[in-house]
Amino acid sequence: MSNAVTTAPAPTAPPPVEKIRIKVDGRDIDVPKLMPDWQGKLVPTTMLQACQMAAQEVPHYCYHPRLPIAGNCRMCLVEFGTPVMDPATKKPVLNEDGSTKIARSVLPYEPQTPRGAIACATPISPGMELYPSSPATKQMREAVLESLLINHPLDCTICDQAGECKLQEYSVQHGQAQSRFVEPKVHKPKAVDLGPRIVLDDERCILCTRCVRFTRDIAGDDALGIVNRGSYNTIATAPGKQFDNNYSLNTVDICPVGALTSKDFRFKMRVWFLKETKSLCTSCGTGCNITIGSRENVLHRFEPRDNDAVNGSWMCDSGRLNYPWIGRADRLQQVQVRGQASDWGTALGEITTHLRNASDGSVAIIASARQTTEELYLLRQLAVRVGALTDSVEREGEADRLLVHSDRNPNSQGARLTGIAYTEIGISIPSIADGIRSGKIKTLIVFGEDVTKCGIDAGLLGKVGTLIVSDILPNATTAVAHYLLPGCAHAEKRGTFINAKGRVQKFLKAVEPKGDARPEWEFLAELTKSLGAVDGFSTIEGLFNRMASEVPALAGVEWSKLGDHGVNVPV
Amino acid sequence: MLENIFSDPTFQFVLFSAAKIAVVFGVVMTFVAYAVLVERKVSAAIQDRVGPNRTAPPLALKIPVLGRLLQRWGMFQPMADGLKFILKEDFTPAYVRTVYFWLAPAIAVIPAFLTLAVIPFGSTLGSQKMVIADLNVGILYTFGIVSLGVYGIVLAGWSSNSKYPFLGGIRSSAQMISYEIAMGMSVVSLFLIVGDLNLMNLIQWQADHGWLVLYQPVAFVIFLVSAFAETNRLPFDMPESESELIGGYHTEYSSMKFALFFLGEYANMIASSAMMVTLFFGGWSLPWLGKPAETLLGGLVHIGIFIAKMIVLMLVFIWVRWMLPRFRYDQLMDLGWRRFIPAALANIVATALGVALLNR
Amino acid sequence: MTKVVDRSPLNFYERTYLPALMEGFKITARHFARSVQGKNTATDLGDGYYPEVPWRVAEGYRGAPYLVSDQDGATKCVSCQLCEFICPPKAIKITPPGPEGQGADRPNAEKMPREFEINMLRCIFCGLCQEVCPEEAIFLQQHYSLTGLNREEMIYNKEKLLKLGGVHPGIQKWKHKLEEARDQESFPVKVD
């Protein structure tokens, strides 16, 4: 069974191809001759990739491993040399000491000047020598940076990119301390409204065309281009058109400078204050990996996090902007028993007594496929203990060809694997409704769903003897709950989701829950323990490992093996 | 019947003793209050400041000229200080050893006052000797009582259950015990010369033969320095040392309990000054005023002389505090054990030899 | 270079503490005598005493940090939050304008803080905010006597800080950029 657990192939895992021996800064290194490009096609390895393998970082702006190569920023210039070949024998010429004779690349018309090559687009050849730390390379970088900064406005103080700006970083690492440029800078349009979510500052743009390539080749919406000539080059949309596709905010991430900025994050918080938490997007079954940026218990932004097995480097705008509800003022913050403010001890105590005395089959549980796998597992154990019917609620939407999945629940597979729901989610809800109508079901437990929208209307809910509801935001179901237990958004707790393809991924806690709210798994653990259903763990790690040992599909999986990118299980 | 009672010597003793105690206590308390003021004013002057010059009750300012003058001199400051001490929150931290914590200030202040019982602050006033208890072992009593003072400080340091008071308490125990030895031995030589332990008789001897400071300058220096150490005054305020131990033994104290330590320190200063006046500077006598007073006026003059001498010595105490930096702890112990105790011993031997040779 | 300080051992006379006592007495007596005559620093300066006559601080004195306006009366701060970041006691709290917030009160700067608070109870007058400010918008000024009746009163908001800070003339960077850009709108580009 454990063979079923597979880890994703590493992003740059070399396919079994022949290797080439080259030298990087005088050190021998064997690099594969071919490597996958942005589409996965095998192409000759570039100098930049070779330097990376030799742990020599080459600064670059326009190069992005998941985009076609443009080679226009010139930042990755590296001095190099190739073995001298004897034209007659086609063999390398040797020095007197027996080593291969290397010809450093020089300008053809002035051989005393070294000539660099753009490392991102130049393939390596056998015996090649790269000099990423040579004085000539450093000088080239300095010169390129100087020219990039000629017309840069240096308005870092008002630029949202400041702090994660490659121009800032490389200027510190490779740039000059002072500008030699005395002429007035070329001024271009500032704060251009490109679309509903993007603002463009043309002065800051270094024309690397990452955004152009992304939206043309990845998003498939050829919306951006470069207009005007020379110093007046600017990024622009076609006249009268907007830059508005569901992946536009990815251009903000890949923009190495502050040219493209997010309207949502505009002037909201300086990035160096943000605490970064590894988490997951909950907007659909894809389960994109994200990084949550929060400060002092306030969420400020979601950003995609690299995961080759799920989302590459991207995420959709709708998922990215789906966070403000977590900070909404009307969040449920108070434990309530029959409309009266109460506390956890009282509420859980009464629920325990009630469930202990409930007869077999008189309880039904409607869980949510937005809950974590652990919570669904605990609810399932609770259901087994009290003999309850369980199901979840389905959410369908339109899929696109990139990331958005038709299943809008982040954890449908979790609901299926833990036994909360059948393959077709929501199939038992009509029978639960019938049970209530016939008076057979006297107790209904609802987690994170508004059941009035899926076949159990308010009138029917009124027939339920005891309605136990846990949710995050108020809705028609929470309004009539007998026991209301405030829960946590995913950013406020830890847990795992299993995405539509069966990848178990964990997410971590970014902010503290509001008011009385507690992670559902915590109070469910107390409840199941006092009912004698599940026991023997006190942490989320322990709960996950216990669940993995009991749920067949998760056999062999451990919390510690999930890593940042998760593991696949058969679904 | 009533006449009988008044003529009863026991009753008279009780009555006059009570009166003397009341007067001495009142005078000493006033002295403490104004010693603090003088200390603040002198320190201000030495440090180019002005000192307290703001406090005044509203009515006092109505007095023309004088009211303003008293305000500028800070004459109402002690009242404000006292009021502040009474009104501040008396705080007992949760982690202290409560009984000892409350006991310590009392133990610190009581010995300071008890010492004053044997000091002759005048010759006679009418038929009364101007001393509360005319003990024939006066000086032994004094040393017995003075050595109790250290308990207050050690208890305070220990019961506060906090590191700074604890260090302060440890320092004070070592310091006070060490300097008591030197102090005690320095006065032995006086009694070798005088041949009496009664302080009244000691003064009378000085009135007849001249001040003992002239006979025993070494003993005086040792006594003076030891008195600084005994009263925890700079340059020997190791137990307190604000700059390193926050406030030493009284760090955790506030309000009236702190005020008692404060009171004790100044009462000790007064007691030490009075003791030095008695032992070395002829008490109430002046070189040309050596006979016990026969009139009431004469008695009052003697008391005045005594107080004047005492004030001069207290000014020395105060001045020295703003003149010298604090000794390092090892220097302090070095000075006590390796300089003063041998010097005091040598002084005793020399005096004894001298007395023996002269009496032969 | 090592400098050897001569620390010759004290001679016997010095070890009696007498010279130190004499010296101490001389110094204290001198000051005492001067003070008794009614002379001190306050009278030297010829003003008076502190509460009535505030102490005159030296140039470069580091008092309370206040926000300053430029010569047009506009807020210089652009809410870059570097001072908030550098502030050792975390006395500064800036609320950025956010996406819907009010723009700067001068053209071209785009941004200014929605709220800027300095907790003067926390501030240690270290001057790092002034040093780090890329816009010359915050300066340690000469106020040293900050009082309030409660803690809230000691948290100075943007309005108060700007009022106390006054005007600080200097290069108007954003205005200059705007003028430069306007010049370029006509062809040929004017080069000065």
Side-chain angles (χ1 to χ4, degrees), chain A residues 117-129:
Chain A
I118 46 170
C120 67
T122 310
I124 51 163
S125 58
M128 200 179 205
E129 290 198 358

Side-chain angles (χ1 to χ4, degrees), chain B residues 123 200-212 215 278 281-292 302 309:
Chain B
S123 53
M200 269 297 206
N201 299 346
L202 191 81
I203 291 170
Q204 193 55 58
W205 189 91
Q206 290 184 76
D208 299 339
H209 297 83
W211 292 356
L212 272 165
Y215 295 85
T278 310
F281 293 98
W284 43 263
S285 70
L286 281 178
W288 60 92
L289 266 177
K291 290 273 171 285
H302 280 164
K309 287 178 180 173

